[in-house]
Amino acid sequence: MPRHLSSLCVLLSGLLLTACGGVVDLPEEGEPLGTAELAMCSSSAVTQLTISGVSTYQGEMAGSGTWTVSYPANAVRLEFRINNVLQSTSELPGTSGTWYFSSSGLSCGSYLFNVKAVPMVIDSGGGRTTCWANTSKSVSRYADDPCPTFCGDGDCSFDEDAFSCAIDCCQGRCNNGACCSASNYCTDGSYCLLY
């Protein structure tokens, strides 16, 4: 091929590249899913959420459980509530795992514990998207820490009975003031006056 033709080809190829906008950088192969090009939350769901156990002892509640999310979710946002009051949140990466919760400063009594899981997508740049409109799950369980009982608290419970704690355990009184919790009649034959 003549030299003048070769130079002409080089010149024309340069003009073509310039006219067409130059070279375009293509994304690297194998780039992780969850990037901005994907529909971040489409089909994401929490597919499993459990409470393995929750208990309250001396003012502290503790619990744990498991979670699983479906593609394209690759993380979960957990919300922990006691008696419907938000206590804390946690964001955990992965498609499944174990969650843990603890809270202190509770008084004795019965409490409703609830954990809610919402799917999330963490993209390759570290951006975090919580998929609020997608399928979430919520589970609840009661945790009890019985209050200490004492005679005079108005509750006939545990080791109390009509003899050890008449004030809490009597259903009524006889004319002589004795407790008559076992029957409607008193030992002197009179009728028990029920409260």
Side-chain angles (χ1 to χ4, degrees):
M1 178 189 292
R3 286 185 181 241
H4 68 280
L5 216 46
S6 173
S7 300
L8 183 62
C9 289
V10 171
L11 178 63
L12 286 176
S13 65
L15 288 174
L16 273 174
L17 282 176
T18 304
C20 294
V23 178
V24 177
D25 288 333
L26 297 174
E28 295 178 24
E29 283 190 39
E31 183 176 348
L33 297 176
T35 56
E37 290 83 13
L38 295 177
M40 295 284 248
C41 288
S42 68
S43 304
S44 292
V46 175
T47 57
Q48 183 234 2
L49 180 64
T50 66
I51 297 176
S52 300
V54 63
S55 61
T56 306
Y57 180 70
Q58 294 186 344
E60 183 168 358
M61 180 183 285
S64 66
T66 60
W67 58 272
T68 305
V69 294
S70 65
Y71 177 84
N74 58 7
V76 69
R77 175 189 168 94
L78 297 163
E79 298 180 347
F80 303 101
R81 289 179 170 80
I82 297 176
N83 288 348
N84 296 318
V85 177
L86 184 64
Q87 302 295 310
S88 61
T89 62
S90 183
E91 293 180 353
L92 302 175
T95 56
S96 65
T98 302
W99 58 262
Y100 299 94
F101 171 81
S102 68
S103 180
S104 59
L106 301 173
S107 59
C108 61
S110 181
Y111 292 93
L112 177 64
F113 172 75
N114 172 268
V115 57
K116 178 180 180 179
V118 182
M120 289 182 63
V121 175
I122 302 175
D123 66 33
S124 58
R128 304 167 91 79
T129 302
T130 303
C131 304
W132 294 108
N134 290 59
T135 304
S136 61
K137 284 194 182 294
S138 180
V139 290
S140 300
R141 188 174 292 179
Y142 279 96
D144 298 313
D145 187 9
C147 294
T149 60
F150 57 92
C151 188
D153 65 0
D155 185 25
C156 185
S157 58
F158 295 107
D159 295 332
E160 296 176 340
D161 59 28
F163 299 104
S164 66
C165 186
I167 192 168
D168 289 346
C169 299
C170 280
Q171 296 175 4
R173 297 257 179 213
C174 297
N175 289 336
N176 64 3
C179 180
C180 56
S181 62
S183 70
N184 289 336
Y185 294 96
C186 299
T187 54
D188 63 2
S190 63
Y191 189 71
C192 181
L193 299 172
L194 300 177
Y195 297 146

